[in-house]
C-alpha cells in the first residue's frame, strides 16, 4: 500500500488483569475502554472497576457499622443502670472494631469478589457496550481514520479474544509504516486459520523487528506454506520469517531443514549468523548442506572464508 502513515503509538499500560482495561462511566453507567470521556454521554467521569467494587465494599462496611450503631442505640435506651450502659458501649465498640478489622484484613479479597459479582451481574451490558466500541472503531476505518480505530482495537483485543478483532487490527496496521520503535506484536496476532493480511503483517514485522519472530510465528507460516508461496514475493516472505529461527539453537535445529532453498533470500548479516551458529546444528549432513548452499550464495566473499573452509571436514 502506497502513502503509508507515519504514526506513533504509546506502549499500552501493563495491568494486572485484562479486565482492568475496562472502565465505568460514573455518570451514565456505560462501560468504556479507558477513554477520557464516555462514548455515550461524553462526561469525564471514568472510574476503574476496582473503584466501583471498592465503593460497593465500603457501602457494605458502613451499612454494617450503622447496623451496629443502631443495635448499640437500642441497648443504650433499654439500659436500666450504669453497668448495662457500660456493657452496651463495650459491646458496640467490640463489634465495630471487629468489623473494621475484618474489612481491613480481607479488603483485597472482598474487592476481587465484588468485581466478579459485578461482571456476572452486568455481563450483558458489558457485551453491549463493547459492541458499541467495536462499531465506533469499524466506522473510524470506513471514514478513513485508522489511527483512532487501531488504538480502540488495541484495547478491545485485551477484552475480546477472537480473530475478528485481530483482523480489524491488521486492516488498520496495513495503513501504517512499521518501525522497530513501535509497540508491535506478533504472537498475539496469530489466528486459527489462514489470513493473508496476517501473513503480510508478519513479513513486515520480520523485516523491522526480527526478534518478535518466534516458534509460534514460524509454525503458523509453515502451516500455510502453500498459500504463502502463492502470494507476491511468497518465497521472500517465507525466507524472512524462517531467518527468525536464527535467534536460538533450539529454533535453528527445529527448522534447519526448512531453510534449504531459501538462503539465497537471506541478508548477508543473516547468512553470517547462520555460519556462526552452524556448529550447533546436530544433524551433520544437514549442516553441511546448508553451508554448501551458503557458499553457492556468497561466492568468494572473504567474510565467509573462515566458516566455509570447514566444509571438507563437516
Amino acid at each position: 500500500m502506497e502513502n503509508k502513515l507515519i504514526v506513533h503509538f504509546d506502549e499500552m499500560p501493563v495491568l494486572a488483569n485484562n479486565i482492568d482495561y475496562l472502565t465505568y462511566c460514573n455518570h451514565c453507567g456505560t462501560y468504556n475502554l479507558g477513554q477520557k470521556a464516555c462514548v455515550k454521554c461524553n462526561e469525564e467521569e471514568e472510574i476503574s472497576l476496582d473503584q466501583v467494587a471498592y465503593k460497593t465494599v465500603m457501602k457494605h462496611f458502613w451499612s454494617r457499622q450503622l447496623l451496629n450503631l443502631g443495635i448499640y442505640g437500642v441497648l443504650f435506651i433499654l439500659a436500666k443502670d450504669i453497668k448495662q450502659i457500660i456493657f452496651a458501649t463495650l459491646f458496640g465498640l467490640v463489634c465495630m472494631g471487629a468489623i473494621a478489622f475484618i474489612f481491613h484484613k480481607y479488603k483485597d479479597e472482598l474487592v476481587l469478589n465484588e468485581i466478579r459479582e459485578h461482571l456476572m451481574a452486568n455481563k450483558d451490558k458489558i457485551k453491549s457496550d463493547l459492541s458499541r466500541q467495536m462499531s465506533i472503531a469499524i466506522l473510524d476505518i470506513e471514514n478513513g481514520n485508522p489511527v483512532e480505530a487501531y488504538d480502540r482495537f488495541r484495547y478491545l483485543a485485551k477484552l475480546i479474544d477472537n480473530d475478528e478483532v485481530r483482523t480489524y487490527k491488521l486492516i488498520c496496521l496495513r495503513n501504517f509504516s512499521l518501525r522497530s520503535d513501535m509497540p508491535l506484536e506478533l504472537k498475539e496476532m496469530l489466528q486459527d486459520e489462514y489470513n493473508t493480511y496476517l501473513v503480510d503483517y508478519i513479513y513486515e514485522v520480520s523485516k523491522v523487528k526480527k526478534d518478535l519472530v518466534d516458534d509460534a510465528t514460524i509454525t503458523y507460516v509453515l502451516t500455510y506454506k502453500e498459500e504463502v508461496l502463492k502470494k507476491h514475493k511468497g518465497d521472500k516472505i517465507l525466507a524472512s520469517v524462517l531467518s527468525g529461527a536464527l535467534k536460538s539453537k533450539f529454533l535453528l535445529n527445529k527448522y534447519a531443514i526448512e531453510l534449504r532453498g531459501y538462503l539465497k533470500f537471506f541478508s548477508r548479516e543473516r547468512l553470517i549468523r547462520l555460519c556462526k551458529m552452524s556448529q550447533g546444528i546436530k544433524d551433520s549432513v544437514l549442516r553441511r548442506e546448508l553451508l554448501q548452499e551458503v557458499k553457492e550464495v556468497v561466492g568468494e566473499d572473504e567474510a565467509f572464508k573462515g566458516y566455509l573452509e570447514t566444509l571438507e571436514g563437516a
Side-chain angles (χ1 to χ4, degrees), residues 193-232:
E193 298 180 357
Y194 176 75
N195 185 313
T196 188
Y197 291 162
L198 175 56
V199 173
D200 291 341
Y201 174 71
I202 290 172
Y203 180 43
E204 294 301 317
V205 172
S206 72
K207 291 190 292 183
V208 300
K209 214 166 184 177
K210 190 77 71 177
D211 59 303
L212 287 182
V213 178
D214 60 3
D215 192 4
T217 305
I218 299 173
T219 297
Y220 177 84
V221 172
L222 288 177
T223 299
Y224 299 104
K225 182 177 180 178
E226 184 177 339
E227 290 87 344
V228 172
L229 289 175
K230 290 178 182 177
K231 292 176 64 66
H232 176 59

Side-chain angles (χ1 to χ4, degrees), residues 291-309:
L291 288 176
Q292 183 61 47
E293 188 173 336
V294 171
K295 184 176 182 179
E296 293 170 2
V297 172
V298 302
E300 300 300 321
D301 192 325
E302 289 295 320
F304 293 86
K305 188 174 181 180
Y307 303 110
L308 301 179
E309 282 179 345

Side-chain angles (χ1 to χ4, degrees), residues 15-23 48-50 115 159:
L15 304 179
N17 299 290
N18 282 355
I19 198 65
D20 294 335
Y21 291 96
L22 192 67
T23 56
S48 67
L49 292 189
D50 273 348
I115 289 175
L159 299 162

Side-chain angles (χ1 to χ4, degrees), residues 164-254:
E164 182 182 12
V165 173
R166 295 186 187 95
T167 298
Y168 276 119
K169 287 176 70 179
L170 291 167
I171 291 172
C172 293
L173 285 161
R174 286 170 64 83
N175 293 276
F176 310 146
S177 177
L178 303 186
R179 307 183 310 277
S180 60
D181 64 337
M182 295 174 68
L184 302 174
E185 53 189 4
L186 259 187
K187 189 173 182 179
E188 297 82 358
M189 301 291 280
L190 298 181
Q191 302 188 12
D192 295 330
E193 298 180 357
Y194 176 75
N195 185 313
T196 188
Y197 291 162
L198 175 56
V199 173
D200 291 341
Y201 174 71
I202 290 172
Y203 180 43
E204 294 301 317
V205 172
S206 72
K207 291 190 292 183
V208 300
K209 214 166 184 177
K210 190 77 71 177
D211 59 303
L212 287 182
V213 178
D214 60 3
D215 192 4
T217 305
I218 299 173
T219 297
Y220 177 84
V221 172
L222 288 177
T223 299
Y224 299 104
K225 182 177 180 178
E226 184 177 339
E227 290 87 344
V228 172
L229 289 175
K230 290 178 182 177
K231 292 176 64 66
H232 176 59
K233 296 184 179 179
D235 45 8
K236 291 185 178 180
I237 293 173
L238 200 59
S240 184
V241 175
L242 283 171
S243 69
L246 301 180
K247 71 192 297 183
S248 71
K249 288 184 179 180
F250 168 77
L251 290 179
L252 178 56
N253 275 284
K254 183 173 182 178

Side-chain angles (χ1 to χ4, degrees), residues 228-282:
V228 172
L229 289 175
K230 290 178 182 177
K231 292 176 64 66
H232 176 59
K233 296 184 179 179
D235 45 8
K236 291 185 178 180
I237 293 173
L238 200 59
S240 184
V241 175
L242 283 171
S243 69
L246 301 180
K247 71 192 297 183
S248 71
K249 288 184 179 180
F250 168 77
L251 290 179
L252 178 56
N253 275 284
K254 183 173 182 178
Y255 297 107
I257 195 169
E258 300 290 347
L259 301 183
R260 295 183 302 182
Y262 292 98
L263 298 186
K264 60 186 175 183
F265 300 110
F266 277 34
S267 67
R268 187 169 180 271
E269 176 271 328
R270 291 273 104 183
L271 290 174
I272 290 176
R273 181 166 177 78
L274 173 59
C275 290
K276 289 180 177 179
M277 297 180 65
S278 62
Q279 291 304 312
I281 300 175
K282 297 177 181 178

Side-chain angles (χ1 to χ4, degrees), residues 32-260:
N32 292 289
L33 298 173
Q35 297 97 336
K36 187 176 180 181
C38 175
V39 296
K40 183 178 180 180
C41 69
N42 207 37
E43 294 291 331
E44 298 183 5
E45 295 188 27
E46 294 300 303
I47 60 175
S48 67
L49 292 189
D50 273 348
Q51 291 172 297
V52 174
Y54 181 74
K55 287 173 65 177
T56 303
V57 167
M58 291 311 296
K59 284 181 181 178
H60 293 328
F61 170 74
W62 288 115
S63 66
R64 284 162 175 74
Q65 293 294 42
L66 287 173
L67 177 61
N68 278 330
L69 189 60
I71 294 173
Y72 166 70
V74 171
L75 291 175
F76 183 86
I77 292 171
L78 296 178
K80 296 180 179 179
D81 52 39
I82 189 64
K83 288 184 179 180
Q84 291 185 356
I85 292 175
I86 293 173
F87 172 79
T89 302
L90 290 174
F91 177 79
L93 290 173
V94 169
C95 289
M96 294 176 72
I99 290 176
F101 173 78
I102 292 171
F103 268 76
H104 177 74
K105 184 175 182 179
Y106 298 103
K107 180 180 65 178
D108 292 342
E109 289 84 349
L110 291 169
V111 168
L112 286 174
N113 186 62
E114 183 58 39
I115 289 175
R116 285 192 289 267
E117 291 184 3
H118 181 94
L119 292 173
M120 287 298 297
N122 296 277
K123 60 182 179 181
D124 291 336
K125 179 71 166 60
I126 293 171
K127 184 177 179 180
S128 174
D129 287 346
L130 289 179
S131 178
R132 182 204 302 271
Q133 295 278 355
M134 187 105 162
S135 297
I136 293 172
I138 294 172
L139 190 61
D140 280 335
I141 294 176
E142 294 173 352
N143 291 337
N145 191 1
V147 177
E148 287 193 18
Y150 179 67
D151 201 40
R152 196 179 299 272
F153 277 122
R154 286 204 300 166
Y155 282 85
L156 278 168
K158 295 293 186 180
L159 299 162
I160 304 175
D161 183 20
N162 65 31
D163 287 349
E164 182 182 12
V165 173
R166 295 186 187 95
T167 298
Y168 276 119
K169 287 176 70 179
L170 291 167
I171 291 172
C172 293
L173 285 161
R174 286 170 64 83
N175 293 276
F176 310 146
S177 177
L178 303 186
R179 307 183 310 277
S180 60
D181 64 337
M182 295 174 68
L184 302 174
E185 53 189 4
L186 259 187
K187 189 173 182 179
E188 297 82 358
M189 301 291 280
L190 298 181
Q191 302 188 12
D192 295 330
E193 298 180 357
Y194 176 75
N195 185 313
T196 188
Y197 291 162
L198 175 56
V199 173
D200 291 341
Y201 174 71
I202 290 172
Y203 180 43
E204 294 301 317
V205 172
S206 72
K207 291 190 292 183
V208 300
K209 214 166 184 177
K210 190 77 71 177
D211 59 303
L212 287 182
V213 178
D214 60 3
D215 192 4
T217 305
I218 299 173
T219 297
Y220 177 84
V221 172
L222 288 177
T223 299
Y224 299 104
K225 182 177 180 178
E226 184 177 339
E227 290 87 344
V228 172
L229 289 175
K230 290 178 182 177
K231 292 176 64 66
H232 176 59
K233 296 184 179 179
D235 45 8
K236 291 185 178 180
I237 293 173
L238 200 59
S240 184
V241 175
L242 283 171
S243 69
L246 301 180
K247 71 192 297 183
S248 71
K249 288 184 179 180
F250 168 77
L251 290 179
L252 178 56
N253 275 284
K254 183 173 182 178
Y255 297 107
I257 195 169
E258 300 290 347
L259 301 183
R260 295 183 302 182

